[in-house]
C-alpha cells in the first residue's frame, strides 16, 4: 500500500481524504495556495507545500507545481479530490509518465467520458438512453439559435468541459439562446480553459438521479445504487439523498445496469458517477459521467458502509474489489445539505468574509438518527472569493426517509454560523416542507416553492410556542443575573407586532410552566443558555429544540429553523405602546443598480446619458467563478456609472444610477 499520498485539492474534500488516509496508516501531503496557508487541511496533513497565489489558475490548476511537490516530498500518489485537476486527462497521463499513481480513473477513461459531447456518443453506442440534442461543436450564437429551433425549446446550453453547476443555462427563446450561449462560452473558458458548448433538450419537470460506480484495474465494476440530487439552485446541487424516493427496484436495477455497462465500456477503474435525468414516470436518460469522486459521496457511504475514498486508493494501488454486486445492499436513508456562504435573503448571493462563529452539531449517533459533518473550515477562518463558498456538507442518516429528514432538521438547528450570510435557514425550510417530506421532487423545486425568492417562513403554531418560551426563559435568566427578578406572573410576549398573553409559573421540578392566552399550558425544561450564548437549547413538552438567539436593546432576535422574529417580553401596559410605534421607512434604492455581492466587474455595457429599457443588461459581475448578469428592472436614462471593467466591488456598491 502507498505510504504517502499528496492531496491536490483544498477545503472539506482535502480534510475528508486526510481522515481516510489516517485510518489506513498513510501519511499525507497537502498542497496549498497563499489563501489557504492557515487552513484546517494544512493543519491536519503530515506535510504541506505552498504552490502559489490564491487564484486557482496560479496554484491548484498548475500540474507542474503539483508534480514538483510530489518530487519534493516523496509522495507516491496524488488524490485530486473533485474540481481543479480531478477530471483532467492530461494531468492523469502526466502523472503516469512520471511514475506517480493517480488516485482516479485511467486517463483514457477520463478522456472518453469527461468530454460531454464524446461521452454521449459513447453512451448511445453502449445502448444507454440519451437526451435528444446537438452534440457537434457550435461556434456562434447565430448557429446556436438555428440549431435550437430545430430541436425545440426549452434547451439546456452546457459547457462540454463543465461541472459543479458552472457553464449551464436554460434557454426558452432565441433571445435567451443568443445571450446564454455567449455567457456559457465565457464561463467555460474562464473556469475550465475550454469554451466548447453543446445543446440538449431540457426535460420538463425532471429529476436528477445519479448512479455511483466503482471499478478496479482487473475489469470488475459494481454500482452502489443511486443518489437523488433534484434540489438544485442555478444547476448547483443543494440537497442530496440516497436512495431516491422515486425509484422502484426494477428502475434502480435498470439504471445500475446501464451505468455499469457504460463504465465497463471504457475500462473504468475507480470511483465515478453516471448521471441521469429522470421523468416523473421513471423514464431516464444519460446526462454525463463524472470521472471523479462526487461532492455528495457521503450519502452513498452512509447507506452502504463503503468508504469510497479508501476504495479509490485501493484500486489505484492495484487491489481487486473486495466485494461483488450481490454483496451490496441499501441500509436506511441518508440526506446531505450543502451549507454555503451565501445569503438566501438576498437571492442566494455569495457572502464572503470571516466565519466569526461556527458551532457544529455533534457527530455520531443521536436520538434516532446519525450525524456526519464534512467541513474544511473552523471558527475564525475566512471564506475566500477565489473558491466555491462551501462551508460544510451536513449529513443525517436514519432507518427510514422520515427519520433521516427529521434528523437533518435537528442537525441544522444545532448548526450556528455568524460573520457572513449562510443558507442554513433555507435548508431548514426545505426539511419542513410537506412537498419535500412527501418526496415529490424535481429540479425546479426551489423555483416552484420559492418563486419570489427566500424570505424565511412564518412561524407555525409550534414555532410560536418555541419563540415565546425561549424569550421568557432568557428574560427571566437575565433578570436573575442582574439581581432584579420580578414576581410578576402575567406578561405580553410580542412576536414582531403580534401580542401573546403569557402566564408564568414553575412546577415542583423548577420547570417553567407557560400558560398561553387561549392556548393552554406548555412546559419548558432542560434549559441550556446563559447570556452571551448564540444558541438556546431546551425541551418543550419533552421535545428537544435549539434556537438561534441574539439579545438586542429591547428584546431578542430569535430564529428557529426558517422562522425568525424580533421577540419582546413586556408588561401589558408597555405592550400597548409598542403596538402604536410607526414602521421605519425603507430607503428608496429603485434608481440604483447595486452590486449584489463582492466580486470583479466583467463589464458595464452602458454609458451616462444612455436610454435603457427594462431587461437590458447593465452590468456583469464575476464572483466564485460564476458570471452574474444584472439587468435593468425598469426603463430609464443612465445618470452615473460607478465602476469600470476590471474593478473590484463590494456588496451594495453602486454600479449604475438612473436619473
Amino acid at each position: 500500500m502507498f505510504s504517502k499520498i499528496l492531496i491536490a485539492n483544498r477545503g472539506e474534500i482535502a480534510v475528508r481524504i486526510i481522515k481516510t488516509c489516517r485510518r489506513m496508516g498513510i501519511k499525507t501531503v497537502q498542497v496549498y495556495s497563499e489563501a489557504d496557508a492557515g487552513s484546517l487541511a494544512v493543519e491536519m496533513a503530515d506535510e504541506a507545500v505552498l504552490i502559489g497565489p490564491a487564484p486557482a489558475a496560479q496554484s491548484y490548476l498548475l500540474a507542474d507545481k503539483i508534480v514538483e511537490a510530489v518530487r519534493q516530498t516523496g509522495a507516491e500518489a496524488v488524490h485530486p479530490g473533485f474540481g481543479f485537476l480531478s477530471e483532467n486527462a492530461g494531468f492523469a497521463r502526466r502523472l503516469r509518465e512520471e511514475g506517480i499513481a493517480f488516485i482516479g480513473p485511467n486517463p483514457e477513461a477520463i478522456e472518453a467520458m469527461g468530454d460531454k459531447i464524446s461521452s454521449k456518443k459513447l453512451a448511445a453506442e453502449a445502448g444507454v438512453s440519451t437526451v435528444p440534442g446537438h452534440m457537434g461543436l457550435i461556434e456562434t450564437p447565430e448557429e446556436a439559435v438555428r440549431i435550437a429551433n430545430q430541436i425545440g425549446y426549452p434547451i439546456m446550453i452546457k459547457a462540454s468541459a463543465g461541472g459543479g453547476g458552472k457553464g449551464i443555462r436554460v434557454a426558452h427563446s432565441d433571445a435567451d439562446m443568443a445571450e446564454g450561449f455567449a455567457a456559457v462560452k465565457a464561463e467555460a473558458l474562464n473556469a475550465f480553459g475550454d469554451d466548447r458548448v453543446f445543446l440538449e433538450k431540457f426535460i420538463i419537470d425532471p429529476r436528477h438521479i445519479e448512479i455511483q460506480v466503482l471499478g478496479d484495474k482487473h475489469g470488475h465494476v459494481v454500482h452502489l445504487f443511486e443518489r437523488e440530487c433534484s434540489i438544485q439552485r442555478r444547476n448547483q446541487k443543494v440537497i442530496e439523498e440516497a436512495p431516491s424516493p422515486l425509484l422502484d427496484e426494477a428502475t434502480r436495477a435498470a439504471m445500475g445496469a446501464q451505468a455499469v455497462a457504460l463504465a465497463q465500456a471504457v475500462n473504468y477503474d475507480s470511483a465515478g458517477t453516471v448521471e441521469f435525468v429522470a421523468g416523473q414516470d421513471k423514464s431516464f436518460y444519460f446526462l454525463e459521467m463524472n470521472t471523479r469522486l462526487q461532492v455528495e459521496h457521503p450519502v452513498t457511504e452512509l447507506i452502504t458502509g463503503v468508504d469510497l475514498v479508501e476504495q479509490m486508493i485501493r484500486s489505484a494501488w492495484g487491489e481487486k474489489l473486495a466485494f461483488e454486486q450481490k454483496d451490496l445492499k441499501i441500509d436506511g436513508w441518508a440526506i446531505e445539505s450543502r451549507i454555503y456562504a451565501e445569503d438566501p435573503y438576498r437571492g442566494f448571493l455569495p457572502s464572503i468574509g470571516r466565519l466569526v462563529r461556527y458551532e457544529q452539531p455533534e457527530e455520531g449517533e443521536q436520538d434516532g438518527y446519525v450525524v456526519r459533518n464534512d467541513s474544511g473550515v473552523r471558527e475564525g477562518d475566512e471564506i475566500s472569493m477565489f473558491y466555491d463558498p462551501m462551508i460544510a456538507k451536513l449529513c443525517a442518516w436514519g432507518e427510514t426517509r422520515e427519520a433521516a429528514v427529521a434528523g437533518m432538521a435537528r442537525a441544522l438547528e444545532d448548526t450556528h454560523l455568524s460573520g457572513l450570510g449562510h443558507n442554513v435557514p433555507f435548508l431548514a425550510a426545505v426539511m419542513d416542507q410537506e412537498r419535500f417530506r412527501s418526496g415529490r421532487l424535481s429540479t425546479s423545486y426551489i423555483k416552484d416553492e420559492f418563486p419570489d425568492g427566500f424570505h424565511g417562513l412564518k412561524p407555525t403554531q409550534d414555532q410560536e410556542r418555541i419563540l415565546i418560551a425561549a424569550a421568557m426563559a432568557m428574560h427571566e435568566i437575565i433578570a436573575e443575573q442582574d439581581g432584579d427578578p420580578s414576581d410578576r406572573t402575567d406578561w405580553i410576549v410580542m412576536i414582531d407586532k403580534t401580542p401573546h398573553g403569557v402566564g408564568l409559573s414553575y412546577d415542583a421540578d423548577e420547570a417553567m410552566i407557560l400558560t398561553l392566552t387561549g392556548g393552554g399550558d406548555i412546559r419548558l425544561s432542560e434549559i441550556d443558555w446563559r447570556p452571551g450564548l448564540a444558541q438556546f437549547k431546551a425541551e418543550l413538552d419533552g421535545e428537544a429544540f435549539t434556537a438561534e438567539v441574539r439579545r438586542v436593546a429591547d428584546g431578542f432576535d430569535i430564529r428557529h429553523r426558517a422562522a425568525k422574529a424580533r421577540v419582546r417580553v413586556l408588561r401589558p401596559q408597555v405592550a400597548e405602546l409598542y403596538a402604536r410605534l410607526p414602521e421605519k421607512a425603507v430607503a428608496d434604492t429603485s434608481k440604483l443598480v447595486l452590486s449584489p455581492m463582492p466580486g470583479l466587474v466583467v463589464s458595464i455595457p452602458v454609458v451616462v446619458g444612455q436610454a435603457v429599457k427594462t431587461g437590458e443588461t447593465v452590468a456583469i459581475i464575476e464572483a466564485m467563478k460564476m458570471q452574474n448578469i444584472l439587468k435593468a428592472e425598469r426603463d430609464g436614462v443612465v445618470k452615473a456609472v460607478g465602476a469600470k471593467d476590471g474593478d473590484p466591488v463590494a456588496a451594495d456598491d453602486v454600479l449604475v444610477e438612473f436619473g
Side-chain angles (χ1 to χ4, degrees):
M1 180 49 66
F2 302 116
S3 60
K4 185 184 291 188
I5 289 172
L6 182 140
I7 301 164
N9 215 294
R10 62 176 302 280
E12 58 85 16
I13 188 56
V15 171
R16 162 75 188 87
I17 295 166
I18 290 169
K19 287 179 178 178
T20 287
C21 287
R22 280 182 174 179
R23 185 172 54 77
M24 296 178 70
I26 300 171
K27 291 190 177 300
T28 53
V29 178
Q30 178 64 53
V31 296
Y32 65 95
S33 72
E34 291 171 357
D36 288 331
S39 69
L40 179 59
V42 168
E43 178 185 297
M44 289 179 63
D46 297 291
E47 299 174 60
V49 179
L50 175 65
I51 55 170
Q58 300 174 44
S59 51
Y60 296 107
L61 288 171
L62 292 179
D64 288 345
K65 292 282 190 180
I66 305 297
V67 171
E68 183 182 331
V70 171
R71 296 298 182 214
Q72 178 183 328
T73 59
E76 303 151 283
V78 171
H79 198 306
F82 42 69
F84 298 136
L85 295 170
S86 62
E87 293 182 280
N88 187 308
F91 178 61
R93 188 171 285 112
R94 165 84 179 275
L95 292 181
R96 184 166 66 186
E97 292 167 354
E98 297 269 0
I100 303 164
F102 178 69
I103 302 176
N106 61 79
E108 291 74 27
I110 297 175
E111 215 155 45
M113 301 311 297
D115 183 289
K116 293 180 176 60
I117 294 174
S118 64
S119 68
K120 287 187 185 300
K121 293 177 180 177
L122 279 166
E125 291 170 4
V128 180
S129 55
T130 58
V131 180
H134 182 86
M135 294 300 106
L137 294 179
I138 305 167
E139 298 296 339
T140 66
E142 293 75 20
E143 185 183 358
V145 167
R146 179 180 57 77
I147 294 169
N149 279 285
Q150 294 172 357
I151 299 170
Y153 292 106
I155 287 175
M156 186 85 82
I157 312 166
K158 301 183 75 172
S160 180
K166 297 175 183 65
I168 299 176
R169 292 282 195 284
V170 176
H172 296 271
S173 66
D174 289 355
D176 285 352
M177 177 58 66
E179 183 174 64
F181 181 81
V184 169
K185 281 183 78 71
E187 279 185 9
L189 185 62
N190 184 47
F192 314 111
D194 181 345
D195 70 349
R196 291 176 300 156
V197 170
F198 69 97
L199 308 179
E200 66 184 16
K201 183 76 174 175
F202 183 66
I203 306 301
I204 302 296
D205 200 27
R207 297 172 77 130
H208 185 122
I209 297 175
E210 58 192 30
I211 302 291
Q212 176 71 57
V213 295
L214 189 61
D216 62 23
K217 297 185 182 301
H218 306 275
H220 305 122
V221 180
V222 297
H223 71 81
L224 287 85
F225 313 107
E226 81 279 2
R227 296 183 287 258
E228 170 117 19
C229 310
S230 296
I231 308 296
Q232 302 180 4
R233 183 187 51 73
R234 297 175 188 154
N235 302 301
Q236 173 73 58
K237 299 165 188 172
V238 178
I239 297 170
E240 302 100 346
E241 59 183 295
S244 163
L246 175 71
L247 301 193
D248 52 33
E249 287 300 327
T251 309
R252 176 175 294 120
M255 292 179 79
Q258 285 198 15
V260 168
L262 186 58
Q264 288 175 326
V266 293
N267 298 314
Y268 203 81
D269 54 356
S270 188
T273 300
V274 180
E275 300 198 350
F276 295 90
V277 59
Q280 299 293 343
D281 60 355
K282 299 184 178 66
S283 60
F284 58 89
Y285 306 92
F286 173 75
L287 273 178
E288 61 184 338
M289 183 174 189
N290 289 306
T291 55
R292 55 171 167 80
L293 191 67
Q294 289 281 88
V295 174
E296 58 272 20
H297 75 274
V299 292
T300 295
E301 295 182 329
L302 285 168
I303 67 163
T304 61
V306 175
D307 184 324
L308 290 170
V309 173
E310 177 183 346
Q311 295 304 317
M312 292 178 75
I313 293 170
R314 293 191 180 283
S315 175
W317 179 250
E319 291 185 12
K320 290 183 179 179
L321 287 176
F323 43 80
E324 299 177 23
Q325 192 67 55
K326 62 182 176 62
D327 302 318
L328 296 166
K329 301 210 170 20
I330 295 173
D331 176 23
W333 213 286
I335 295 177
E336 174 180 290
S337 291
R338 299 191 188 191
I339 299 177
Y340 285 114
E342 61 185 13
D343 191 343
Y345 302 100
R346 291 169 56 94
F348 297 94
L349 294 170
S351 177
I352 63 177
R354 192 162 301 282
L355 195 55
V356 177
R357 299 283 290 271
Y358 182 22
E359 296 176 37
Q360 305 177 43
E362 184 178 349
E363 292 192 86
E365 191 156 351
Q366 308 301 317
D367 185 15
Y369 61 99
V370 174
V371 172
R372 169 174 167 176
N373 194 41
D374 286 18
S375 182
V377 295
R378 302 150 298 185
E379 193 168 280
D381 284 350
E382 186 169 350
I383 306 300
S384 168
M385 68 177 287
F386 294 102
Y387 313 113
D388 287 340
M390 183 181 287
I391 295 171
K393 300 182 313 195
L394 181 61
C395 302
W397 177 93
E399 291 185 358
T400 63
R401 187 173 188 271
E402 183 180 25
V405 173
M408 175 58 71
R410 283 289 296 122
L412 288 165
E413 277 188 35
D414 289 334
T415 302
H416 169 66
L417 306 103
S418 67
L420 39 69
H422 60 84
N423 66 336
V424 170
F426 170 76
L427 297 168
V430 175
M431 293 302 126
D432 282 345
Q433 287 186 302
E434 188 280 329
R435 177 180 169 185
F436 179 78
R437 288 175 175 263
S438 70
R440 292 182 289 112
L441 313 180
S442 78
T443 56
S444 64
Y445 184 98
I446 293 176
K447 185 174 65 176
D448 294 344
E449 296 298 312
F450 305 94
D452 301 318
F454 178 75
H455 308 290
L457 299 181
K458 286 187 175 181
T460 62
Q461 185 176 48
D462 287 342
Q463 286 179 316
E464 284 185 345
R465 294 183 171 208
I466 286 172
L467 298 180
I468 290 168
M472 282 298 308
M474 291 188 290
H475 180 270
E476 292 297 294
I477 290 169
I478 290 168
E480 186 74 35
Q481 186 184 66
D482 291 346
D484 187 27
S486 170
D487 58 1
R488 175 176 287 278
T489 60
D490 61 315
W491 296 92
I492 298 294
V493 177
M494 301 275 293
I495 300 179
D496 291 327
K497 288 281 187 179
T498 305
H500 300 265
V502 180
L504 171 62
S505 61
Y506 293 86
D507 67 12
D509 297 321
E510 293 301 309
M512 293 182 74
I513 304 298
L514 304 177
T515 301
L516 308 184
T517 302
D521 291 351
I522 55 176
R523 184 176 189 271
L524 188 68
S525 59
E526 304 300 324
I527 298 170
D528 179 10
W529 184 81
R530 64 180 184 277
L533 290 183
Q535 288 184 308
F536 179 95
K537 299 183 179 184
E539 290 186 5
L540 192 65
D541 291 336
E543 290 289 325
F545 73 89
T546 303
E548 190 171 276
V549 298
R550 184 170 67 93
R551 189 179 178 185
V552 293
D554 60 345
F556 307 95
D557 284 338
I558 305 177
R559 178 180 65 81
H560 180 258
R561 300 190 181 179
K564 65 177 182 178
R566 173 68 54 86
V567 187
R568 304 173 176 92
V569 180
L570 306 170
R571 297 182 182 90
Q573 60 270 33
V574 177
E576 289 183 20
L577 299 175
Y578 264 99
R580 299 174 191 168
L581 288 174
E583 296 285 347
K584 185 177 179 181
V586 179
D588 180 15
T589 59
S590 61
K591 294 183 178 181
L592 304 177
V593 176
L594 306 177
S595 176
M597 71 203 79
L600 294 175
V601 176
V602 176
S603 71
I604 297 184
V606 295
V607 296
V608 174
Q610 179 177 338
V612 175
K613 296 290 186 184
T614 301
E616 285 188 38
T617 298
V618 294
I620 301 175
I621 304 295
E622 183 179 299
M624 303 292 185
K625 298 185 284 185
M626 295 284 282
Q627 288 196 358
N628 298 270
I629 299 172
L630 308 182
K631 299 186 177 184
E633 295 182 359
R634 62 182 65 189
D635 294 355
V637 176
V638 177
K639 178 181 177 182
V641 175
K644 61 182 185 298
D645 297 3
D647 280 356
V649 289
D652 294 328
D653 277 0
V654 177
L655 302 175
V656 177
E657 180 180 356
F658 291 100

